[in-house]
Amino acid sequence: MLLRRAVAVELEVTEELNKLLYSVEFAYLSIVREVVMYAVVNNVTSATQLHELFYTKYRREYSSLNSQLVQQAIRQAVQIAKSFIERRRKGLVHKPYPEVRSVSIRFTESAWNYEEFVESIAPVRIAISPISTGKRGRGGRRFEVWLKLHKRFWLYWWRVLNGEARLASTLVIKRKANKWYAIFVFEIKPREEEPKSIVAFDINENTVAVGKIDLLSTMGKVADWNRQYLTPQLYMIRTDFGRLAKRYEAIRNTIIERLKPGFALPNGKYVNITNTREFRKRVKRLSEGDRKLGRVRYVANELTRTPAIIITEELGDNPQESMINGIEKDELRHRIKQTPFKKLESAVEDKALERGSRVFKVSSYRNSRVCPIHFTRLEKTDDWHILKCPFEHLVHRDYASVTNMLWKITPEAWTKGIWWNMKKNMNWREYEGKSNPLVPHSIVQYIHAILKSFTASLEQSPAVLARGKPMTPAGGANEGWARKPPQHGEEASLVFQFIPLA
Ligand SMILES: [Zn+2]
C-alpha cells in the first residue's frame, strides 16, 4: 500500500507564460465542462467512448494545445461525470449536472521534464509543454519555470533521494487566485518500525482522551517493577470542535440577521438567506473548515509522534448519527454532527502508516460504561463526565473509555470487554488464551501486566481516574466539557492537559 502526499509549490511565471497558462486553462476547462455535460446528460461514462467522440474534435478546435492535455482533460471529465452520477444515484446531489468551476491541468510524463527532474539532486525548476509546436510529431514547446521551493518540498525530496519515496510522473498545474502552483505528488513507502508505545484514544466533542503506555522506557524496567514507569499516562488533547461549531453557528446566525432586511418578501416573510450569494460569500471567509482541519492534523501528529500501537474504537459508518440518537437539543445535535470523528480517525490512520505505527480497532461496547478497575457497571452522577462505581469511587468517563480500550487488547478483559453481558453468565474458560491476534503476544502480555498493576494501585486510590472533576466549572457544565477556555485565541486551545497520576 502506498501513501500519497501532494505538495504545492508556487511557480515564478513570466508575464508571457502567465497569459499562456490562462488561455490553456480556459481551453482545458471548456473541454472538461463540455465533456462532463455530454457524459451526464447521455449517461456515457466509458473513457474510450468519450475519447473517440471528442478527441479529434478538440484537437481541431484547440489546435495549439498539447494533445496530451486534450487527452487529460477528457479523462478528467470522465472522472467528474462518473463521481457525479454515482453521487446522484445515492441521492446526494440534486442538480441536473455538475458545475465545474475550476480545473487542475494535468501534465503527464511526456508533457513536462519528469525524467530530467527526478534525476536531479536538487531540482529548482520545471519545464512544461502546454502548447504544441504546431508541427506534427514535433512535440510541445518547452517553457522553463522556476519554483518557489519550500521546506515541505525538500523534506519529501529528501525521502526521494533516500529511496523512501518516489515522485509520481503526473504533474498538476493549478491556479489559485492569481498565482500558479505546481502540485507534486509523492508516493511514500509506509515505514515499519518497532512500536515504542501503546496509545489508546477516544474522540469526544471538545477533547480527545488519550491513554499511553511507553514501551521504550518500560520494557527494560519491568524487572525493577518501578511503578513510575508502569502507569499509563492519561491525558486530554483539547480540540474544541464543539465550541468551534457553536461559535461559527452564532456568527452564521448574525450574518443571517444582518442580511434579512435586504431579502424581505412583500408578504413580510424572508427568502431563505442561506441560499443567497451574499450569505455564501460571507460564510466562505469564515475558514471554519480550515481551523478544524488544522486541529485534526495536530491531533493525528501528536498521537503518532513515536511509532506506536494505536488503539481506538470501531466507529461505524456514521458515528454522529448514532450519537445524536435520543438527544433532543438541536444545538447539541448540531455540535456533535460537526465533530469530525471519521476525519480524525482517517488522519490518524494515514499518519500512522507514514510513521510506522499500527492502528487497531476495538469494539466500542460499553467502553465508558464499565469500571476499568472492578469491571462493574458504572452509574451516572449529576456531572455527565463523572461516573460512579458500585465500589464507591468515581471514574471520569473518558479515562474509563481509554483504559477499557487498552484492556480490550488483553486476553482477560478482551473477552470481558467485548462479551461481557450483565445478565448472562459468561463461561470465561472458552475465551482463555484468546486475544487480538494482530498485536504481538509479548506486547499483549505486557499491557496486561501494566494494567493489572495499575488498577491494583487504583483500588487503593481510585480518585486518579476521576481527576477531571475539580477542573469542571460548577453548574451547567454538562455539555461544555469545559476545562479552561482558550486564552490566546485559537492556538492556545490546543494545550495538553496532563493529568498527574498519584
Ligand atoms: Zn470500580
Side-chain angles (χ1 to χ4, degrees):
M1 190 186 159
L2 277 179
L3 290 159
R4 287 200 168 77
R5 290 284 183 276
V7 177
V9 179
E10 200 192 326
L11 299 177
E12 281 184 28
V13 291
T14 57
E15 209 163 304
E16 185 204 5
L17 185 59
N18 185 42
K19 271 191 202 144
L20 180 72
L21 285 175
Y22 265 103
S23 65
V24 166
E25 186 194 38
F26 178 78
Y28 199 94
L29 182 62
S30 308
I31 297 175
V32 174
R33 275 187 182 151
E34 281 175 37
V35 178
V36 165
M37 182 80 104
Y38 179 90
V40 170
V41 171
N42 299 288
N43 213 359
V44 181
T45 53
S46 148
T48 336
Q49 211 174 331
L50 290 166
H51 183 89
E52 273 168 18
L53 276 167
F54 287 104
Y55 180 70
T56 326
K57 167 177 152 41
Y58 290 127
R59 279 291 283 147
R60 220 178 301 126
E61 219 164 293
Y62 303 105
S63 54
S64 62
L65 201 62
N66 187 334
S67 62
Q68 288 286 324
L69 297 191
V70 178
Q71 268 185 42
Q72 288 304 313
I74 296 172
R75 266 197 210 167
Q76 214 163 320
V78 172
Q79 284 167 1
I80 294 170
K82 265 190 189 159
S83 89
F84 178 82
I85 290 170
E86 178 65 17
R87 281 159 53 83
R88 193 174 56 184
R89 200 178 54 77
K90 287 184 182 160
L92 296 167
V93 281
H94 304 289
K95 289 181 215 155
Y97 48 85
E99 282 172 60
V100 185
R101 290 210 186 91
S102 62
V103 280
S104 316
I105 310 165
R106 290 187 203 160
F107 289 77
T108 49
E109 205 168 340
S110 56
W112 71 293
N113 63 335
Y114 174 69
E115 296 284 329
E116 220 175 297
F117 195 86
V118 287
E119 291 291 299
S120 161
I121 288 177
V124 285
R125 55 186 176 181
I126 50 170
I128 49 173
S129 311
I131 52 170
S132 58
T133 49
K135 293 169 195 144
R136 264 194 112 73
R138 285 282 181 85
R141 237 185 92 196
R142 250 169 89 111
F143 288 85
E144 295 217 325
V145 200
W146 289 86
L147 299 164
K148 293 189 177 172
L149 292 161
H150 47 67
K151 196 173 142 202
R152 206 168 119 81
F153 177 88
W154 291 122
L155 284 175
Y156 286 111
W157 193 253
W158 178 245
R159 287 193 174 187
V160 170
L161 296 177
N162 275 335
E164 291 171 23
R166 68 177 280 276
L167 183 67
S169 59
T170 300
L171 179 78
V172 169
I173 303 277
K174 197 174 168 60
R175 180 175 60 85
K176 204 169 181 196
N178 292 319
K179 287 174 177 164
W180 292 95
Y181 294 88
I183 297 161
F184 296 94
V185 175
F186 293 94
E187 291 165 347
I188 303 159
K189 292 175 197 148
R191 276 194 202 172
E192 285 197 17
E193 303 238 14
E194 279 292 303
K196 293 197 170 73
S197 56
I198 299 144
V199 177
F201 76 93
D202 187 23
I203 308 161
N204 300 305
E205 194 196 327
N206 281 311
T207 57
V208 172
V210 184
K212 189 176 174 197
I213 300 172
D214 281 328
L215 291 170
L216 193 68
S217 61
T218 38
M219 276 296 206
K221 284 172 176 129
V222 181
D224 307 336
W225 213 244
N226 188 333
R227 256 195 54 202
Q228 187 194 337
Y229 299 105
L230 290 176
T231 43
Q233 305 162 42
L234 299 173
Y235 60 93
M236 305 270 188
I237 303 175
R238 281 186 78 120
T239 55
D240 281 341
F241 291 127
R243 242 166 259 134
L244 195 70
K246 204 170 164 180
R247 195 156 73 217
Y248 279 106
E249 173 86 339
I251 298 173
R252 270 191 293 271
N253 286 338
T254 315
I255 295 174
I256 290 174
E257 286 308 315
R258 285 212 189 119
L259 289 175
K260 258 187 179 175
F263 290 93
L265 294 171
N267 62 6
K269 290 186 174 169
Y270 298 100
V271 173
N272 186 353
I273 310 276
T274 51
N275 286 339
T276 63
R277 219 178 112 86
E278 280 76 7
F279 178 78
R280 281 205 302 265
K281 221 167 78 190
R282 284 180 172 78
V283 166
K284 217 172 145 188
R285 283 194 219 119
L286 289 179
S287 72
E288 180 181 6
D290 289 352
R291 291 224 163 122
K292 224 194 251 182
L293 187 66
R295 291 170 192 202
V296 164
R297 285 195 182 136
Y298 175 87
V299 174
N301 232 339
E302 277 306 321
L303 294 175
T304 55
R305 192 159 282 224
T306 51
I309 288 177
I310 298 172
I311 300 156
T312 193
E313 269 181 13
E314 185 69 60
L315 284 178
D317 282 340
N318 203 341
Q320 281 92 342
E321 284 305 319
S322 57
M323 281 181 86
I324 59 177
N325 260 345
I327 296 177
E328 301 276 309
K329 235 173 131 188
D330 269 2
E331 192 200 312
L332 180 60
R333 288 168 68 100
H334 172 74
R335 266 152 46 203
I336 291 175
K337 274 198 165 173
Q338 294 306 308
T339 310
F341 295 96
K342 282 301 225 187
K343 272 213 182 85
L344 193 50
E345 185 189 54
S346 66
V348 170
E349 280 171 9
D350 199 58
K351 263 272 169 283
L353 263 179
E354 183 183 340
R355 294 193 175 161
S357 295
R358 274 162 286 172
V359 177
F360 298 102
K361 292 186 187 162
V362 292
S363 132
S364 60
Y365 186 65
R366 285 195 171 139
N367 274 347
S368 55
R369 300 289 293 282
V370 171
C371 171
I373 309 168
H374 302 103
F375 298 101
T376 45
R377 185 170 197 154
L378 296 167
E379 291 148 26
K380 286 178 183 162
T381 65
D382 52 6
D383 183 335
W384 192 86
H385 300 96
I386 307 293
L387 301 167
K388 194 172 155 260
C389 173
F391 285 82
E392 290 304 314
H393 68 89
L394 300 172
V395 178
H396 192 286
R397 191 182 275 264
D398 300 344
Y399 295 147
S401 172
V402 288
T403 316
N404 283 331
M405 278 186 215
L406 288 170
W407 268 124
K408 280 185 178 172
I409 293 292
T410 71
E412 180 184 294
W414 177 72
T415 52
K416 281 188 190 171
I418 293 176
W419 305 112
W420 202 39
N421 186 321
M422 299 284 176
K423 290 181 191 127
K424 204 169 140 197
N425 235 336
M426 298 295 295
N427 176 11
W428 300 117
R429 285 269 167 81
E430 244 178 83
Y431 300 99
E432 235 165 67
K434 286 189 189 171
S435 66
N436 190 328
L438 298 166
V439 180
H441 190 62
S442 60
I443 288 176
V444 169
Q445 281 178 316
Y446 183 75
I447 303 177
H448 195 203
I450 286 191
L451 285 174
K452 277 259 185 188
S453 88
F454 178 56
T455 51
S457 75
L458 289 180
E459 276 189 77
Q460 274 97 57
S461 63
V464 175
L465 273 181
R467 276 292 169 85
K469 194 172 193 192
M471 275 181 267
T472 312
N478 277 6
E479 303 145 15
W481 295 66
R483 310 288 189 263
K484 263 183 261 157
Q487 292 190 332
H488 309 286
E490 295 299 323
E491 292 75 22
S493 67
L494 286 169
V495 173
F496 271 93
Q497 288 212 306
F498 285 93
I499 308 297
L501 291 163

